[in-house]
Amino acid sequence: MLSPTLITVALAAAMIGALAGVLGTFLVLRGQSLLGDVIAHASLPGVVAGFLISGERGFVPILAGALVSGALAGLSVQLLRRGAGVKSDAALGSVLSLFFALGVVLLTVAQSQGGSAGLTMFLFGQAASVLRADLLPMAVVGGTVLLVLVLLWKEFQLVAFDREAARAQGLPVERLEVLLTLLTAVTIVLGLSLAGVVLMVALLIAPAVAARQWVRGLAPMVWLAALIGALAGSGGAVISAMGQGVATGPVMVLAAVALTALSLLLAPERGLVARWRRQGAARQALRGRQVLAALRGLEGDHATPDYASDEAMLQAYLGTDAGPALARLYRDGLIRPAARLAPEAAARRWELTEAGRLRVEEGGQHA
């Protein structure tokens, strides 16, 4: 029987995972995956500042500080890129390093003053700190984020896929990007107690990357990313509960990465297995066309329309084993076996059928 604590943690993890998957979709499509990493790490100085200002480890002041710090970092990246013309990678790296270093310094100050025990849980998360009373506020905040996305769905969709087209239509692109950054910061702050500033970015990116392998449209990708994020969150919580002292946040991340790896491997169109199959089929088709062309060329060389080519001759002509290609061509009715030169001859001889000649003349795309 599941304990009430596990149910609480699993529900919170499912909510955070689903919300992270939704916001992560826009980060991935906009090519700003590292922005989530910057906001997550930049939340650390806000966490410590909230503790230093309030004098306690209450969730409200600490998460409020994290939100302010994370949002400020995200906006700083936008300002450096749009206003100062700094390249994206340089802006992301500079802001991440600055805010995280500031957080480490503030954490040292807090430790020197005493009473800062427990702040380090925001680095890697501590699921046991999530209480049942936290579920409703998390649901309200998460629902508000989703409501904003629904109300501005068309605008966010256009900004994600074609920023210049959005600007040409008169949309406030910069403000929409700022709003997306703020929504991302809110999502990260909600997940700090579960995954921490170090691992939260994985919950943003992994579900979106996994969903991208299975679907094409934005709406299906958002729904699927939310589902994968929820599965990774709740599944990670349940799996971690099976082990003694196993941290929930890292297991959630491992679950999300595992689902992403399976998607990269098994997705029907973009997966590696499907890609290997297409490449193999393309190689087979190419080899078949080469064999047909060789048969046709030998007919021309011998000025005999029905010239039968010896299999060993074909392999020497092509410089490779033609057996598998010949078997496929025969199965497809493009070639047929011819009589051997002598009954005791070991090698088979092949000739083109009318369908095979037509395929060669048309420059057929399949064999």
Side-chain angles (χ1 to χ4, degrees):
M1 183 176 179
L2 298 178
S3 67
T5 301
L6 176 57
I7 294 175
T8 299
V9 172
L11 289 175
M15 283 192 290
I16 296 302
L19 190 60
V22 172
L23 268 299
T25 298
F26 289 94
L27 289 178
V28 170
L29 291 178
R30 293 164 62 207
Q32 295 185 347
S33 299
L34 285 179
L35 180 61
D37 195 20
V38 171
I39 296 175
H41 282 76
S43 300
L44 180 60
V47 168
V48 184
F51 164 76
L52 291 175
I53 293 173
S54 65
E56 59 180 5
R57 294 190 302 274
F59 273 93
V60 173
I62 286 180
L63 295 185
L67 176 59
V68 172
S69 178
L72 182 60
L75 296 178
S76 298
V77 172
Q78 299 290 351
L79 180 61
L80 288 174
R81 292 176 59 213
R82 309 298 182 197
V86 178
K87 290 186 177 181
S88 180
D89 57 344
L92 290 167
S94 300
V95 173
L96 186 151
S97 302
L98 172 63
F99 276 78
F100 194 67
L102 178 60
V104 173
V105 171
L106 291 178
L107 186 60
T108 304
V109 172
Q111 290 173 342
S112 67
Q113 295 181 1
S116 63
L119 283 181
T120 53
M121 78 174 188
F122 289 98
L123 285 174
F124 303 103
Q126 184 175 340
S129 63
V130 179
L131 305 176
R132 180 172 295 182
D134 298 326
L135 293 179
L136 181 58
M138 290 174 64
V140 171
V141 175
T144 302
V145 171
L146 294 178
L147 179 61
V148 174
L149 286 174
V150 170
L151 293 176
L152 296 174
W153 175 261
K154 293 182 179 179
E155 289 80 1
F156 286 145
Q157 182 177 19
L158 191 55
V159 169
F161 284 105
D162 196 335
R163 190 172 181 273
E164 297 305 320
R167 190 188 302 278
Q169 293 187 17
L171 294 179
V173 175
E174 285 75 14
R175 293 181 182 179
L176 289 171
E177 290 182 336
V178 167
L179 182 55
L180 274 175
T181 300
L182 293 176
L183 296 178
T184 303
V186 171
T187 301
I188 290 174
V189 168
L190 285 179
L192 286 181
S193 57
L194 284 170
V197 301
V198 177
L199 299 176
M200 187 59 201
V201 64
L203 292 181
L204 280 168
I205 305 306
V209 172
R212 188 72 178 94
Q213 309 308 310
W214 297 93
V215 296
R216 293 185 178 274
L218 177 61
M221 183 177 173
V222 167
W223 281 105
L224 186 55
L227 177 61
I228 293 174
L231 288 176
S234 58
V238 173
I239 294 172
S240 66
M242 297 178 181
Q244 186 67 28
V246 178
T248 300
V251 178
M252 290 168 55
V253 171
L254 289 176
V257 173
L259 291 173
T260 303
L262 288 175
S263 299
L264 291 170
L265 189 64
L266 302 177
E269 292 187 10
R270 296 178 176 171
L272 291 176
V273 172
R275 188 177 303 174
W276 292 335
R277 287 178 176 174
R278 288 195 298 269
Q279 291 174 348
R283 286 193 295 268
Q284 291 179 359
L286 176 60
R287 183 59 52 80
R289 291 195 295 270
Q290 290 174 338
V291 171
L292 289 177
L295 287 169
R296 186 61 171 164
L298 289 171
E299 282 186 354
D301 292 341
H302 291 81
T304 304
D306 296 325
Y307 179 77
S309 300
D310 187 89
E311 188 168 322
M313 181 189 301
L314 278 173
Q315 294 187 160
Y317 191 89
L318 295 171
T320 185
D321 182 16
L326 289 168
R328 288 192 300 272
L329 294 171
Y330 175 62
R331 186 181 62 245
D332 295 339
L334 300 177
I335 63 174
R336 58 175 173 258
R340 298 182 180 180
L341 294 175
E344 64 276 8
R348 303 187 67 177
R349 304 173 68 225
W350 299 93
E351 61 185 15
L352 291 171
T353 62
E354 291 302 322
R357 291 190 184 90
L358 183 62
R359 180 66 59 87
V360 175
E361 293 172 359
E362 291 178 348
Q365 299 300 311
H366 305 282

